[in-house]
Each structure stands twice: as structure tokens, then as C-alpha cells.
């Protein structure tokens, strides 16, 4: 079992199950033979072969590989700054190259609404105009979003759409003041969080969300719908519970599995929900992760001090934030999802995801400097069994990625932790 980077160490015994994403790859004298448990496994074998080949013919190898976790993701915040279809395609290419299989799109926030909703057209028309710092906004038409989903699907990447609720909703409240009891507000282009809330007691809130979710769900072939739920500092604890009780059936009625940030675990959850752990600043995150597991939810691990790729690498990193500390390559690599939170073991963990918030990131080049090389570390955390992971081995394989980034025009950060060629 595996590695997302080359050369993938052979780990599976000959009679181990490959599973739907596993593969065997034999190369002898430049000729490759692939055996796979399914189409995804075949695709991953091809990615490994491509990585092995580099400029010349592939070396002789014998690889048996299978991912540790089912959810191996990255999130792009297209709300604080907007990134168009071409950028998202390029991101999907990066995910596929490192055998990641989830693209979480943070489609709405206080600063912008990024997907056209036919029944609520002002969301995108007005709410799509703004971005942090007065930068240009934008939004995906439904055809754009379909194109993203299709491109992702061809690369075995599941798109997880997030409509953040009940907080992080200023752009929606501005575009449709009826959601805010008629109160009109100015668009927001700052970077504060926690000041907006949907009305947890208004029937209109749930008609709105039911209709928005229905359109998003219909456009999304994957099983998940992410409702956010984070940092609802302007929603009282009581209102938050009322909101969660009414919003969950809307998602269930669409046949989707609900995903939310860890805060949703403060409410009773429908079984089978997915909870995304993130807060490493205090014990609250751990408590919420345990509360999620106690309710039978599965966890996606996104510890901010490990995999928040909007954090600066070190004090010299020109972009990014620092509230969770600096996140160097080794921080992203050297941790075990299954021992991070007491009483939250391997069985409770669906996978790992690296969020990329974009308050400070304006271009796709900016995005890439934060992704690379840390995304590769995240890919190995998600793919490779703990006992086969080794920082020294990883950092030398990581160095060998640089030439292909240079050739492909991929921006990356030359972390001093790696001996770059
Ligand atoms: C926290 S962590 C947020 C986002 C910000 C991010 C900036 C979480 C679920 N929410 O709203 O963009 O910090 O690092």
C-alpha cells in the first residue's frame, strides 16, 4: 500500500484485496501491466506510471497500492476570491495527479455568492459581484458548474458543494433582503467572520435553503451536500439547534449525505452525517469531534495547524494567514489522523482534507504557491498507511517533483525543509 508520489513503495501482499481504488502495476523493460479493482484503480495506476516515467521510459517496478482513506480532498474557497472554470480544471488536474478524489468548493460566504440559482437569481447576479478587498467577483453559471463536475468525474474526483449556513451568509442577505426581514445592507469586502446569520425561525429561510439545495443537489452527481455551519457567532446556541433541526431534513429529502464543519456536532445529527474537524486552537475541536463520533458521524480531518493551506509556511511567506500558526511542509506531513484526537480512531475517520481559504489569495498562481508542496504531504497522509510513512524518504521524493512543476509552470514554495534540485 501506497504513496501518492513516486516511487510508490509496494505495500500490499499478493493476495491482499485491491478494493475499488487499488491497483497493481508491473513495469518490465519499459512495458507496463496494470491490474485494478475498478476504473478508479486503473486511473491511479496510470497516474503512478506517468509520475514514474518523467521524461524517459519508466523504470522496472512492481507496485501494489491502495489508499488508506476514502475521502482524500482539498477545498477551494471561491467566495472570498473567485476562481473561474479554467482555474478549477487546473486544480482538478493537480488533485488527480496526486490521487486525491474530493474537491470541496466553498461556494458562498459573506463576501460573495458563486453559483447561479434559477429560483433566486439575485444571489449570483448581485451577490456574485463582490470579493475581498474590492477585487472582481464572479460566479459559475449552472453550465459552468456542470462542466466542473464533469471534468472532475472523468478524473475520479467527487465535487462536494458547500453553501455555508446559517452564518457566512451576508452576500445572500444583501442580495435578498427579504431573508433579513427587509433590512438592506451594503456588500461586504472585508475579512472578518461571524457577523451574519440567517433567521433560524423564519419559514422563508427554509424555503430558500430547500430551493437552493435542490438546485445544487440536482447539479451534483456526488452523494454529499456541505451546509457549512462554522463560526455562527451571530446565531444564538438555541437558534443554532433550531436551525440544525430544520435544515437536516431538507438535505435528507434530496437523498444527499449532509456534511458540515465540526460545529454541527453541537446539535443532534442524523446518522451517517459527515463532520469536518478543523479547530486546533483549543479543546473545543476535540470535544466536537468526539461528539460527532458518539452520534455515529464519520469525520473528515482538516486540522488547521496541519492542513490549512492558507496558513503561512513561515514568517517570510508573503501570502496567507497565521492564526493557526505556521504550517511548514513537515507539519503537513508528520501526523497521524487516527491518533490526533483522543478516542477518535481509524474507524471513525472517513478521510483527510486540506482547506484553502482565499482571503489573501487573488490569483491561481497565489493558490499554487500555498498548495505546493504541502498538498503532496496531505496526499500521502490520506493515501499511505502510517507505518510506511517516513519524512526523510518523503522529502527526497518531494524534491524530485520540482522539475515537473517548473516545466508545467506550476507555482510552488521552495521550503527550506526540502533539498530542491
Ligand atoms: C476560518 S475554519 C474559517 C474561514 C476562514 C478561515 C481563514 C472555518 C471552518 N472557517 O471562514 O476563511 O478561518 O483561515
Amino acid at each position: 500500500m501506497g504513496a501518492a508520489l513516486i516511487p510508490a513503495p509496494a505495500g500490499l501482499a499478493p493476495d491482499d484485496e485491491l478494493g475499488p481504488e487499488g491497483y497493481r502495476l508491473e513495469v518490465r523493460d519499459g512495458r507496463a501491466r496494470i491490474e485494478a479493482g475498478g476504473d478508479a484503480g486503473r486511473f491511479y495506476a496510470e497516474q503512478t506510471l506517468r509520475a514514474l516515467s518523467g521524461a524517459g521510459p519508466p523504470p522496472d517496478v512492481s507496485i501494489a497500492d491502495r489508499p488508506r482513506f476514502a475521502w482524500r480532498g482539498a477545498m477551494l474557497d471561491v467566495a472570498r476570491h473567485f476562481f473561474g472554470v479554467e482555474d478549477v480544471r487546473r486544480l482538478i488536474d493537480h488533485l488527480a495527479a496526486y490521487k486525491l478524489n474530493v474537491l470541496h468548493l466553498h461556494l458562498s460566504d459573506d463576501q460573495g455568492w458563486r453559483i447561479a440559482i434559477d429560483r433566486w437569481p439575485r444571489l449570483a447576479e448581485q451577490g456574485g459581484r463582490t470579493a475581498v478587498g474590492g477585487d472582481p467577483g464572479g460566479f459559475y453559471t449552472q453550465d459552468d458548474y456542470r462542466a466542473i463536475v464533469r471534468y472532475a468525474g472523468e478524473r475520479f474526483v467527487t465535487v462536494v458543494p458547500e453553501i455555508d449556513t446559517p452564518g457566512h451568509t451576508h452576500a445572500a442577505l444583501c442580495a435578498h433582503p427579504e431573508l433579513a426581514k427587509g433590512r438592506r445592507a451594503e456588500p461586504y469586502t472585508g475579512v472578518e467572520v461571524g457577523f451574519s446569520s440567517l433567521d433560524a425561525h423564519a419559514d422563508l429561510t427554509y424555503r430558500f435553503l430547500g430551493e437552493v439545495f435542490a438546485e445544487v443537489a440536482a447539479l451534483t452527481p456526488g452523494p454529499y451536500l456541505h451546509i457549512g455551519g462554522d463560526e455562527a457567532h451571530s446565531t444564538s446556541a438555541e437558534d443554532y439547534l433550531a436551525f440544525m433541526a430544520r435544515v437536516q431534513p431538507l438535505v435528507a429529502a434530496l437523498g444527499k449525505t449532509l456534511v458540515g464543519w465540526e460545529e454541527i456536532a453541537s446539535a443532534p445529527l442524523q446518522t451517517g452525517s459527515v463532520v469536518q474537524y478543523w479547530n486546533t486552537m483549543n479543546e473545543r475541536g476535540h470535544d466536537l469531534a468526539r461528539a460527532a463520533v458518539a452520534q455515529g458521524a464519520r469525520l473528515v480531518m482538516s486540522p488547521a495547524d496541519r492542513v490549512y493551506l492558507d496558513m503561512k509556511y513561515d514568517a517570510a511567506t508573503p501570502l496567507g494567514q497565521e492564526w493557526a500558526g505556521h504550517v511548514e511542509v513537515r507539519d503537513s506531513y508528520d501526523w497521524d489522523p487516527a491518533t490526533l484526537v483522543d478516542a477518535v480512531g481509524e474507524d471513525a475517520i472517513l478521510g483527510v482534507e486540506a482547506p484553502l481559504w482565499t482571503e489573501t489569495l487573488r490569483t491561481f498562481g497565489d493558490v499554487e504557491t500555498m498548495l505546493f508542496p504541502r498538498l503532496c504531504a496531505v496526499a500521502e497522509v490520506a493515501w499511505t498507511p502510517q507505518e510506511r510513512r517516513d519524512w526523510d524518504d518523503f522529502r527526497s521524493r518531494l524534491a524530485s517533483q520540482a522539475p515537473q512543476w517548473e516545466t508545467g509552470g506550476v507555482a510552488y514554495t521552495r521550503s527550506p525543509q526540502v533539498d530542491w534540485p
Side-chain angles (χ1 to χ4, degrees):
M1 274 180 272
L5 293 187
I6 51 153
L12 286 181
D15 52 351
D16 276 350
E17 289 270 345
L18 288 179
E21 296 182 297
Y23 64 90
R24 288 197 177 79
L25 171 65
E26 299 272 345
V27 181
R28 292 287 169 274
D29 305 322
R31 292 172 61 88
R33 207 180 61 81
I34 290 170
E35 183 195 333
D39 293 342
R42 175 164 305 280
F43 180 74
Y44 294 141
E46 287 161 7
Q47 299 314 303
T48 298
L49 184 60
R50 190 202 315 224
L52 283 168
S53 304
D60 285 4
V61 288
S62 189
I63 291 170
D65 209 7
R66 179 177 77 186
R68 177 179 179 187
F69 293 114
W71 178 306
R72 306 181 299 279
M75 185 205 83
L76 183 64
D77 170 8
V78 295
R80 271 54 174 271
H81 278 101
F82 181 66
F83 298 88
V85 175
E86 275 313 304
D87 289 339
V88 175
R89 283 210 183 100
R90 188 165 161 101
L91 175 59
I92 292 166
D93 288 341
H94 292 325
L95 299 183
Y98 296 105
K99 307 184 193 93
L100 294 165
N101 68 348
V102 171
L103 173 61
H104 168 183
L105 289 175
H106 184 75
L107 290 168
S108 67
D109 214 301
D110 293 317
Q111 298 87 346
W113 184 285
R114 306 302 181 200
I115 184 163
I117 302 294
D118 291 340
R119 301 283 293 268
W120 296 78
R122 287 206 304 278
L123 289 171
E125 279 166 17
Q126 271 191 43
R129 283 193 199 136
T130 42
V132 165
D135 285 328
F139 64 88
Y140 306 121
T141 65
Q142 296 205 348
D143 279 345
D144 289 340
Y145 184 83
R146 281 190 196 96
I148 289 170
V149 161
R150 192 179 327 114
Y151 193 85
E154 287 161 4
R155 288 154 185 80
F156 300 91
V157 171
T158 298
V159 172
V160 176
E162 178 186 353
I163 302 297
D164 204 347
T165 66
H168 292 276
T169 43
H170 184 79
L173 297 170
C174 264
H176 285 283
E178 65 272 32
L179 292 169
K181 297 210 171 76
R183 239 181 303 116
R184 293 187 179 275
E186 292 301 308
Y188 181 71
T189 58
V191 297
E192 296 301 314
V193 299
F195 60 87
S196 56
S197 182
L198 291 167
D199 182 344
H201 299 290
D203 289 341
L204 185 62
T205 293
Y206 304 98
R207 180 157 74 79
F208 166 69
L209 290 179
E211 291 174 2
V212 168
F213 290 166
E215 289 191 30
V216 173
L219 292 167
T220 305
Y224 303 109
L225 194 59
H226 200 309
I227 63 154
D230 57 317
E231 302 172 320
H233 306 319
S234 302
T235 317
S236 72
E238 198 188 356
D239 284 0
Y240 192 84
L241 293 180
F243 177 80
M244 284 298 296
R246 288 184 73 175
V247 82
Q248 291 181 81
L250 300 177
V251 176
L254 296 165
K256 296 294 183 184
T257 297
L258 183 136
V259 189
W261 297 103
E262 65 188 28
E263 286 93 330
I264 68 166
S266 66
L269 295 177
Q270 275 168 1
T271 43
S273 300
V274 174
V275 172
Q276 190 165 7
Y277 164 75
W278 63 271
N279 174 13
T280 51
M281 303 304 285
N282 49 50
E283 268 303 300
R284 178 146 168 87
H286 287 199
D287 291 343
L288 289 168
R290 281 187 287 268
V293 175
Q295 301 195 60
R298 292 166 298 167
L299 285 175
V300 170
M301 306 302 273
S302 299
D305 60 0
R306 299 288 181 179
V307 299
Y308 263 39
L309 301 188
D310 63 318
M311 292 300 130
K312 292 176 183 288
Y313 292 76
D314 61 25
T317 310
L319 302 171
Q321 307 216 40
E322 299 182 290
W323 62 259
H326 294 147
V327 177
E328 251 296 358
V329 184
R330 187 166 187 169
D331 297 311
S332 292
Y333 183 83
D334 248 347
W335 62 287
D336 179 1
T339 58
L340 199 61
V341 179
D342 280 348
V344 174
E346 187 103 10
D347 290 350
I349 298 174
L350 183 57
V352 176
E353 182 185 298
L356 188 55
W357 305 99
T358 58
E359 286 94 334
T360 67
L361 311 175
R362 305 173 69 203
T363 69
F364 198 70
D366 293 347
V367 164
E368 286 181 334
T369 62
M370 302 310 267
L371 287 177
F372 293 112
R374 293 179 296 190
L375 187 70
C376 301
V378 177
E380 287 217 359
V381 171
W383 188 278
T384 309
Q386 198 64 26
E387 67 275 11
R388 301 192 66 84
R389 298 217 283 112
D390 177 78
W391 163 250
D392 286 320
D393 172 59
F394 173 72
R395 69 189 272 284
S396 66
R397 285 183 292 113
L398 194 52
S400 72
Q401 300 294 291
Q404 84 194 40
W405 292 334
E406 306 272 354
T407 322
V410 180
Y412 68 103
T413 296
R414 289 178 70 86
S415 159
Q417 294 188 331
V418 178
D419 298 324
W420 303 106

